[in-house]
Amino acid sequence: MENVKEETLVIDCSIEKALDVIGSKWSFLILRELFGGTKRFSELQRAIKGVSPKALTNALRHMEENEIVIRKVYPTVPAKVEYSLTDKGQDLHKIIKEMKLWGAKWG
């Protein structure tokens, strides 16, 4: 019985760690957009209804710090900035797809 408790704790910690890496609810919506390819900040803002520039910036920074998103700045005036997923970020696609299916079924 004690082994089951230890295994449950490990699973719970792994889920908590994954959620911490992903971040806020906005992160899920950013992922949804970036699964379709590289996007600029303004494209993300238009696609994600209700997100403020500050919330979008914070979510993107969090995802960049956790190596989910790559931010590429082009030396133009005005500066062109693009966001894309790392391999680690692409690896979330299966998980997000399953959450979408679950939400459609039970939401």
Side-chain angles (χ1 to χ4, degrees), residues 41-66:
F41 186 90
S42 59
E43 292 175 305
L44 290 170
Q45 193 171 15
R46 276 193 304 274
I48 302 170
K49 304 297 179 213
V51 67
S52 69
K54 184 179 189 310
L56 182 56
T57 298
N58 289 343
L60 286 165
R61 283 184 184 151
H62 178 81
M63 294 171 75
E64 188 178 6
E65 289 167 6
N66 284 282

Side-chain angles (χ1 to χ4, degrees), residues 31-92:
L31 285 168
R32 178 193 68 195
E33 296 304 317
L34 293 179
F35 288 139
T38 300
K39 300 276 190 298
R40 293 179 69 176
F41 186 90
S42 59
E43 292 175 305
L44 290 170
Q45 193 171 15
R46 276 193 304 274
I48 302 170
K49 304 297 179 213
V51 67
S52 69
K54 184 179 189 310
L56 182 56
T57 298
N58 289 343
L60 286 165
R61 283 184 184 151
H62 178 81
M63 294 171 75
E64 188 178 6
E65 289 167 6
N66 284 282
E67 301 174 343
I68 301 295
V69 168
I70 297 171
R71 179 178 186 259
K72 186 171 182 180
V73 181
Y74 294 89
T76 59
V77 177
K80 178 181 171 184
V81 180
E82 291 182 337
Y83 296 90
S84 58
L85 294 174
T86 63
D87 289 341
K88 184 177 176 181
Q90 285 289 348
D91 215 24
L92 291 165

